[in-house]
Amino acid sequence: MALIPLQYRIDGPRHAPVVLLVPPFGTTMSVWEPQMPELTRDLQVLRVNHRGHGSSPAPAGPCTVADLALDLLGLLEDRGFPRVSAVGAGLGSALLVWIAANSPRSLDRLALLAPAPRTPVMHRWDRIASRVREVGLESVAADVMRPWFTPDMAEDRPEVVARFTEDFGRLDPGGFASVCDAVAKLDQRHLASAVRVPTLVVSAAHDPLLPPGHGRRLADGLADARFEVVPGAAHLLGVERADRVNELLTEHIVR
C-alpha cells in the first residue's frame, strides 16, 4: 500500500534534537498540547495526525499497523530526520514498537503511554469498525471515549472533555474504521524482544481500556525498559496528569 502524506506540525528550536509525538487513535495532535511548553524548551517537536484524523488523507480500503508505521517513517524521511526520539500514546504507541523492531536506527529513545503488547480480545475493535461503516461515528463515540478520562476529570474540566468529543466527531469515518480494523489484529508480543532502545513505559492507574498490567507485560518483554504507573488518571494520562507525565518525559527524553 502507498504511503500517506500525514498532516504534521513542527515546533521548538530549529536545530535542537527531534522528538516525534504519536497520538492515540481517535485523537489528533492537539492531545499533546499539555506537553508542548515542556518539550519545546529543548527539542524540536514533530506532531502528526494518523490517516483520517485531522487533515491527513484517508484512503479507501483496509490498512495494517505496519502501513500506519510506514506512514511515520515516510514523513521522517521526507523531513530529513534520520534518527529521532519518540513518544506514543495508547494503541498509537504500537506504531513505534513496530518501528523500533523493524527500523531500529530510526529511534534514539522511546516513551510509551498507556500501551499494550496486544489488543485485548474483548475490545472488539472490528465491531466498532463495522458500526462506524453502517451508522456513523456518532454511534461509537461514547464507547470509544468513555475510558479516556476519570469521572473527576469530566466533572472538574468539562470543557477539555467537550473539546475531545468535538475532535472525535470530525474524524473521517472510513479512515477511523480502517484504523480500528488494524488495531483489532494487533499482537506485538513477538516484536518486543527486538526492541533495543531505552524505553519508558507509563500506564495510568485508573485506565479501564488498558490497565497497568498491559504496560507491565510490555515492559517485561523489552530489553531496556523502565515501568511507571501514574495515579489519578484514565487512558489519556498525558492530558489528565500532565504534571507527572511531563516530569517523566523530560527526565527520559530530554535527559
Side-chain angles (χ1 to χ4, degrees):
M1 183 180 274
L3 300 185
I4 298 305
L6 299 178
Q7 181 188 14
Y8 69 91
R9 176 174 171 159
I10 301 175
D11 297 278
R14 198 164 159 201
H15 299 293
V18 177
V19 61
L20 166 67
L21 304 184
V22 181
F25 303 124
T27 73
T28 64
M29 62 175 77
S30 66
V31 74
W32 299 110
E33 287 298 337
Q35 281 66 56
M36 295 304 287
E38 291 286 339
L39 294 180
T40 52
R41 271 185 215 151
D42 302 287
L43 300 168
Q44 275 191 91
V45 178
L46 171 61
R47 289 183 285 170
V48 299
N49 281 330
H50 298 295
R51 298 175 178 207
H53 295 58
S55 302
S56 291
C63 67
T64 64
V65 165
D67 294 325
L68 298 166
L70 288 167
D71 289 344
L72 297 177
L73 281 174
L75 174 59
L76 295 178
E77 197 175 316
D78 283 351
R79 291 298 313 177
F81 296 144
R83 191 173 174 87
V84 300
S85 288
V87 184
L91 293 163
S93 59
L95 311 190
L96 296 178
V97 171
W98 190 95
I99 290 171
N102 289 281
S103 181
R105 291 183 183 174
S106 303
L107 295 177
D108 182 26
R109 296 175 85 75
L110 202 51
L112 307 173
L113 308 180
R118 65 167 171 163
T119 300
V121 179
M122 73 284 260
H123 280 191
R124 296 314 304 262
W125 287 100
D126 52 338
R127 284 188 188 164
I128 289 174
S130 299
R131 218 180 332 152
V132 170
R133 289 187 178 105
E134 285 163 21
V135 280
L137 276 175
E138 186 65 32
S139 66
V140 303
D143 287 344
V144 171
M145 292 187 288
R146 192 176 294 114
W148 288 2
F149 300 111
T150 63
D152 286 351
M153 177 80 172
E155 208 171 286
D156 299 342
R157 295 156 71 191
E159 72 291 347
V160 175
V161 179
R163 179 168 61 79
F164 278 92
T165 305
E166 277 173 35
D167 285 350
F168 184 79
R170 293 194 195 103
L171 301 181
D172 179 276
F176 181 67
S178 293
V179 168
C180 288
D181 282 333
V183 170
K185 303 182 186 87
L186 175 72
D187 186 346
Q188 297 185 317
R189 288 172 296 175
H190 63 295
L191 280 187
S193 61
V195 175
R196 298 285 171 202
V197 295
T199 303
L200 170 69
V201 177
V202 188
S203 291
H206 308 293
D207 183 352
L209 188 70
L210 295 171
H214 292 282
R216 179 168 299 283
R217 276 191 290 280
L218 178 61
D220 286 348
L222 302 173
D224 181 2
R226 169 186 167 196
F227 178 64
E228 294 278 346
V229 176
V230 171
H235 191 60
L236 296 190
L237 64 164
V239 178
E240 193 159 7
R241 282 298 314 276
D243 53 342
R244 180 62 182 138
V245 169
N246 290 352
E247 272 174 21
L248 290 166
L249 292 181
T250 304
E251 203 179 291
H252 182 71
I253 300 284
V254 183
R255 61 188 191 286

